[in-house]
């Protein structure tokens, strides 16, 4: 094959018309309305960011100085970058309501190899997100047990890297398997659970904010930025984990009752709700307790303990565990739908694209769930959080670039939502996301690079040859025969 032919094959783009036809035969059930989609988005965005990462960035960790009350700025910077990307997602979601999300958007606008890289990237990042949230839940679960006088052995509640004599994080492993089972019950059951759980979560956060206001000591805001602006920027790259989730929600587009109409609204509404709660919560957390005394794993529990309200701290720990489950469910849904979509397109074996009677791809659901459990059991929270952030930021760069290119290449394509100030908004999203990527540690880049190299090898040895867009692939011939008129 000539260089020209190779370039043409890896840059082939998926036509929107093909996507519309595939959606009719996907095997996924359409059962999610606007408020269930919004609940999935809010469920994915709000959780470990408030209950764990806010405290982690404020207090600091080894090699990362605490930013104190200025963690508020870290959230706002991350939220601004995320908002630009969210508008880009909203335009694509209203135009291409498909399970692949960023993978499909890149495939349609930039070509197959770019779509592959983003899809391959998201497989790791979403699994890692499930893992880091499980680690956060484990911290609150341990705080809850301590509050009622039960102390779990250190070897089973932390990893070796944390220096606490730990071997494995068993609670984190078990909660990964629990959410996998919940998701395996089907999208309709999952949507109902998510709606109720998110309502409980929002009520809990409003309760925390409302009560915490009365225990704010303004002396804790001085100094407001104890380590300077550099660590605040680095912190924004870490808490960026807390301000996305709508991207994983967009992978449920094929299971929405009216994806083109509801997906853009759900993306925007969920991000607005999340940012309002984040701003209020971070001000309360750092006002209640000096940033140096905040427990990085269970910030609000330690804050209420610090003001003499251990019962409230215990209640928060219980409901934090329940509410953070929604984050895990959202991102586990995301990884299974991206994996399903890539397999349906022939870039990964079709064995993964099989659905059961619930309309659920059970095989990838359990594989992803077990992988996240293993990751949660042996890695510390910050290493996993940074790994997820670099991947999502890379996806945001691609989506923002894709929406610019597609707007000019296909200006007349039907769009139920058009982002404003084109191309300034998506260009800002690209630059902001790239900037935040460069705030991450070199070890995170190394792990990310190794994963992408593995993906490149798989694409050229399997994906390119078996792609449905390759007329000579066995999968392409199967689809042609399937749709041939009798």
């Amino acid at each position: 094959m000539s260089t020209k032919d190779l370039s043409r094959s890896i840059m082939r783009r998926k036509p929107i018309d093909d996507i519309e036809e595939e959606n009719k035969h996907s095997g996924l059930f359409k059962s999610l309305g606007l408020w269930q989609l919004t609940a999935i988005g809010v469920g994915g965005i709000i959780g470990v960011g408030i209950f764990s990462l806010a405290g982690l960035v404020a207090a600091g960790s080894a090699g990362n100085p605490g930013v104190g009350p200025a963690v508020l700025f870290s959230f706002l910077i991350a939220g601004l970058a995320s908002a630009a990307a969210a508008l880009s997602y909203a335009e694509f979601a209203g135009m291409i309501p498909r399970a692949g999300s960023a993978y499909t958007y890149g495939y349609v606008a930039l070509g197959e190899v770019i779509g592959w890289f983003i899809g391959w990237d998201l497989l790791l990042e979403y699994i890692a997100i499930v893992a880091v949230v499980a680690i956060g839940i484990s911290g609150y679960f341990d705080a809850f047990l301590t509050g009622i006088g039960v102390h779990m052995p250190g070897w089973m509640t932390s990893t070796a890297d944390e220096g606490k004599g730990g071997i494995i994080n068993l609670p984190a492993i078990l909660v990964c398997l629990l959410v996998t089972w919940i998701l395996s019950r089907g999208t309709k059951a999952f949507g109902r659970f998510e709606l109720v759980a998110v309502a409980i979560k929002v009520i809990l956060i409003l309760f925390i904010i409302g009560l915490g206001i009365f225990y704010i000591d303004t002396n804790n805001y001085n100094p407001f930025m104890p380590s300077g602006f550099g660590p605040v920027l680095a912190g924004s790259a870490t808490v960026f984990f807390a301000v996305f989730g709508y991207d994983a929600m967009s992978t449920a587009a094929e299971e929405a009752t009216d994806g083109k109409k509801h997906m853009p609204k759900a993306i925007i509404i969920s991000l607005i709700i999340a940012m309002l709660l984040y701003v209020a919560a971070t001000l309360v957390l750092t006002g209640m307790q000096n940033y140096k005394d905040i427990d990085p794993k269970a910030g609000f529990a330690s804050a209420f303990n610090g003001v003499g309200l251990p019962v409230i701290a215990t209640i928060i720990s219980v409901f934090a565990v329940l509410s953070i489950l929604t984050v895990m469910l959202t991102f586990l849904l995301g990884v299974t739908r991206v994996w399903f979509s890539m397999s349906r397109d022939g870039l990964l074996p079709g064995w993964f694209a099989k659905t059961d009677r619930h309309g659920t791809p059970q095989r990838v659901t359990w594989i992803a769930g077990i992988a996240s459990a293993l990751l949660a059991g042996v890695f510390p929270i910050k290493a996993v959080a940074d790994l997820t952030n670099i991947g999502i930021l890379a996806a945001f760069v691609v989506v923002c670039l894709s929406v610019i290119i597609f707007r000019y290449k296909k200006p007349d394509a039907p769009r139920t939502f058009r982002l404003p100030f084109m191309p300034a908004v998506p260009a800002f999203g690209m630059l902001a996301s790239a900037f935040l990527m460069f705030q991450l540690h070199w070890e995170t880049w190394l792990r990310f690079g190794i994963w992408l190299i593995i993906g490149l090898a798989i694409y050229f040895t399997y994906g390119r040859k078996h792609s449905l867009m390759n007329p000579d692939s066995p999968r392409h011939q199967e689809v042609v025969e399937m749709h041939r008129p009798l």
Side-chain angles (χ1 to χ4, degrees):
M1 178 181 287
S2 68
T3 303
K4 185 177 181 180
D5 289 339
L6 176 63
S7 176
R8 186 182 297 114
S9 70
I10 65 176
M11 296 308 295
R12 54 198 171 205
R13 293 174 173 84
K14 195 170 187 64
I16 291 182
D17 292 342
D18 288 2
I19 291 173
E20 294 285 352
E21 182 63 29
E22 287 170 4
N23 287 355
K24 298 176 183 177
H25 308 282
S26 70
L28 301 173
F29 294 173
K30 295 185 179 297
S31 58
L32 301 174
L34 172 62
W35 294 112
Q36 286 173 312
L37 290 169
T38 302
I40 293 172
V42 173
I45 300 171
I46 300 177
V48 75
I50 282 183
F51 292 113
S52 293
L53 290 183
L56 175 69
V57 173
S61 57
N64 298 280
V67 305
V71 66
L72 168 66
F73 293 149
S74 294
F75 273 99
L76 289 175
I77 292 168
L80 193 59
S82 185
L87 292 172
S88 300
Y89 269 89
E91 177 161 324
F92 263 125
M95 187 168 46
I96 309 173
R98 194 176 191 256
S101 185
Y103 152 71
T104 300
Y105 309 154
Y107 201 162
V108 168
L110 301 178
E112 184 173 279
V113 72
I114 304 299
W116 162 267
F117 268 123
I118 292 305
W120 181 250
D121 161 32
L122 291 179
L123 294 185
L124 174 64
E125 309 319 322
Y126 284 170
I127 288 174
I129 289 169
V130 175
V132 75
V133 176
I135 296 169
I137 288 179
S138 175
Y140 271 94
F141 183 66
D142 192 30
F144 161 67
L145 292 180
T146 301
I148 61 174
V150 177
H151 299 277
M152 295 181 68
W155 67 266
M156 63 185 295
T157 58
S158 61
T159 60
D161 305 67
E162 295 180 61
K164 299 179 180 179
I167 298 175
I168 191 170
N169 195 328
L170 188 59
I173 291 175
L174 294 177
V175 78
C176 285
L177 298 179
L178 172 63
V179 298
T180 304
W181 178 82
I182 292 172
L183 188 60
S184 73
R185 297 301 88 198
T187 307
K188 188 173 183 179
F190 155 72
R192 289 172 178 169
F193 175 86
E194 191 86 342
L195 193 59
V196 173
V198 167
I200 294 172
K201 175 192 295 192
V202 172
I203 291 170
L204 170 66
I205 294 170
L206 291 174
F207 169 75
I208 290 171
I209 294 170
L211 181 60
I213 286 174
F214 295 101
Y215 292 90
I216 288 177
D217 180 353
T218 54
N219 291 323
N220 290 326
Y221 292 139
N222 187 25
F224 196 84
M225 195 182 296
S227 304
F229 195 63
V232 171
L233 286 176
S236 67
T238 297
V239 302
F240 193 84
F241 175 89
V243 293
F244 59 84
Y246 52 81
D247 60 306
M249 177 260 284
S250 69
T251 66
E254 283 183 51
E255 292 154 280
T257 54
D258 189 346
K260 288 188 175 182
K261 180 180 178 181
H262 292 156
M263 288 302 302
K265 292 179 181 178
I267 288 171
I268 295 169
I269 292 171
S270 60
L271 185 60
I272 290 173
I273 292 172
M275 288 310 301
L276 290 173
L277 292 177
Y278 275 139
V279 168
T282 52
L283 282 173
V284 169
L285 174 63
T286 54
M288 289 180 65
Q289 189 172 34
N290 186 282
Y291 77 95
K292 296 178 181 178
D293 300 324
I294 294 173
D295 181 351
K297 278 193 172 182
F300 277 104
S302 71
F304 279 96
N305 269 321
V307 296
L309 295 174
V311 175
I312 299 297
T314 301
I315 292 172
I316 289 173
S317 297
V318 173
F319 282 98
V321 170
L322 294 175
S323 65
I324 296 177
L325 282 176
T326 63
V327 181
M328 297 181 67
L329 281 163
T330 297
F331 284 102
L332 189 59
L333 173 77
V335 68
T336 59
R337 273 39 177 188
V338 171
W339 198 335
F340 167 85
S341 191
M342 294 176 72
S343 301
R344 180 175 56 186
D345 288 341
L347 300 182
L348 289 171
W351 183 85
F352 296 117
K354 303 297 182 184
T355 57
D356 68 355
R357 62 187 178 86
H358 299 294
T360 301
Q362 291 285 357
R363 293 168 178 173
V364 296
T365 297
W366 281 101
I367 293 171
I370 292 170
S372 64
L374 294 175
L375 196 59
V378 298
F379 282 94
I381 189 169
K382 191 176 189 305
V384 186
D386 284 349
L387 185 61
T388 66
N389 287 344
I390 192 171
I392 296 300
L393 286 165
F396 280 13
V397 169
V398 169
V399 171
C400 290
L401 176 61
S402 297
V403 81
I404 295 173
I405 291 174
F406 209 69
R407 178 73 75 89
Y408 290 107
K409 281 198 155 191
K410 299 283 186 180
D412 300 324
R415 292 171 170 85
T416 57
F417 173 81
R418 298 174 74 90
L419 66 83
F421 307 112
M422 173 67 80
V425 169
F428 171 77
M430 282 177 56
L431 294 174
S433 298
F435 175 78
L436 290 177
M437 288 176 72
F438 285 106
Q439 304 305 307
L440 296 168
H441 197 273
W442 68 267
E443 290 180 353
T444 303
W445 278 90
L446 178 62
R447 296 184 189 112
F448 183 59
I450 291 172
W451 179 253
L452 292 186
I453 290 171
I454 294 170
L456 187 66
I458 294 175
Y459 172 73
F460 279 104
T461 57
Y462 183 90
R464 187 176 66 86
K465 297 176 182 177
H466 291 80
S467 169
L468 288 180
M469 296 297 295
N470 178 6
D472 299 323
S473 75
R475 296 288 303 282
H476 180 86
Q477 298 302 324
E478 288 176 14
V479 172
V480 170
E481 290 298 324
M482 185 185 306
H483 295 98
R484 190 187 300 279
L486 296 175

